[in-house]
């Protein structure tokens, strides 16, 4: 009988954007940080908002896990460098980096301003680039590490979020390039493409539609399973990709999307005609 160990037992993980937009539900960053801690990692919770980061830390510690907080703006190189230094000071190393931060603003190329476009790319893409830039050398020095970049199905399916789609497409491309560059250094780099999750960020952004109605639509139309997805679903996928169980997996994008990438709108049509009640 093999003794049950956590998937990432003894590892040190940095999760960026591991706070959460306030509101009901579980964010992907917070969910990932909590899952990683529950699976045995010591977690550096990095966020620009101290209140949000502290809340995640207190949830982790309340469940008996180990966490530290780093507060900084990860669009800035100096803050990314300081984040990695904080992990080294608190926990002695960095084994895992989860790049989770993103900003999304609706709009086409015509009605998205240059300022908004640059901002979305800065928050969603530059943070991933800079955090990786400073974490990779630590991993390379010990010839071991795992990076998981949070992308999106928005990179592959249209939705009138041009800046967000561009940033996420770049994240998936960057994942492949990073996997190439750092494979021989023992670093695996993978991505997750979440589908339409019910997260606090989504519920806050879609303020026009009442939450219950939105959740009902999401459960029904978000994929083949007819159920809602949330931050835990991403957290568990990250825990697998970051763990040694995935030791021979690098350069992949794993959709966590209830199968929405596997279906065409025409084939979904019959299923959309019947709307089951939430939770059924
Ligand atoms: N909700 C969905 O349906 C969905 C779908 C696809 C992908 N995703 C992806 O999931 C991730 C979102 O995750 P979440 O649910 O944790 O979002 P969230 O907005 O609730 O949390 C993100 C955290 O990042 C922090 N942050 C923002 N800018 C920062 C900066 N410059 N420096 C440091 N911290 C910063 C925020 O304070 C916030 O606490 C994103 O990558 C998003 O693209 C979500």
């Amino acid at each position: 009988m093999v003794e049950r160990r956590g998937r990432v037992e003894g590892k040190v993980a940095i999760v960026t954007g591991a706070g959460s937009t306030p509101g009901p539900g579980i964010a992907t960053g917070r969910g990932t940080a909590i899952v990683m801690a529950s699976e045995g990692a010591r977690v550096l919770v990095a966020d620009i908002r101290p209140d949000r980061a502290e809340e995640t830390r207190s949830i982790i510690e309340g469940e008996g896990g180990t966490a530290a907080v780093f507060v900084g703006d990860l669009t800035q190189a100096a803050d990314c460098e300081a984040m990695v230094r904080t992990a080294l000071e608190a926990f002695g190393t960095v084994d895992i980096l989860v790049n989770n931060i993103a900003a999304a603003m609706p709009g086409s190329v015509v009605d998205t301003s240059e300022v908004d476009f640059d901002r979305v790319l800065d928050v969603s893409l530059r943070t991933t680039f800079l955090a990786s830039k400073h974490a990779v050398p630590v991993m390379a020095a010990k010839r071991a590490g795992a990076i998981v970049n949070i992308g999106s199905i928005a990179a592959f399916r249209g939705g009138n979020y041009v800046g967000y789609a561009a940033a996420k497409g770049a994240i998936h491309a960057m994942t492949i390039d990073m996997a190439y560059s750092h494979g021989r250094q023992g670093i695996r780099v993978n991505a997750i493409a979440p589908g339409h999750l019910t997260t606090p960020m989504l519920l806050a952004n879609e303020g026009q539609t009442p939450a219950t109605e939105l959740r009902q639509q999401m459960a029904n139309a978000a994929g083949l399973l007819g159920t809602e997805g949330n931050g835990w679903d991403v957290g568990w996928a990250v825990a697998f990709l970051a763990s040694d169980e995935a030791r021979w997996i690098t350069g992949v994008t794993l959709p966590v999307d209830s199968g929405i990438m596997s279906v065409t709108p025409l084939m979904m049509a019959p299923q959309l005609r019947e709307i089951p009640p939430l939770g059924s």
Side-chain angles (χ1 to χ4, degrees), residues 42 63 65-67 75 88 97 135-136 138 148 158 186 195 208-209 212 215 221 245 247 249 268:
R42 288 169 288 160
E63 293 181 358
T66 304
T75 63
L88 294 176
L97 170 67
V136 162
V138 176
V148 183
Q208 267 45 337
T209 317
T212 327
R215 290 183 56 193
E245 293 168 358
R247 59 178 281 275
I249 301 175
M268 271 301 276

Side-chain angles (χ1 to χ4, degrees), residues 15-38:
V15 182
T16 71
S20 169
T21 300
I26 184 79
T28 68
R30 176 168 288 168
T32 297
I34 297 170
V35 167
M36 298 293 266
S38 75

Side-chain angles (χ1 to χ4, degrees), residues 17-21 27-30 46-49 52 72-75 100-102 119 123 127 150-153 164 168 194-202:
S20 169
T21 300
T28 68
R30 176 168 288 168
D47 207 287
I48 197 167
R49 295 277 302 262
R52 296 178 178 187
D73 177 356
L74 299 179
T75 63
N100 169 70
I101 296 168
R119 176 77 192 144
V123 174
T127 52
I150 307 301
S152 173
I153 60 164
Y164 184 70
K168 292 300 187 176
H196 300 283
L197 307 170
T198 307
T199 58
M201 178 175 74
L202 178 113

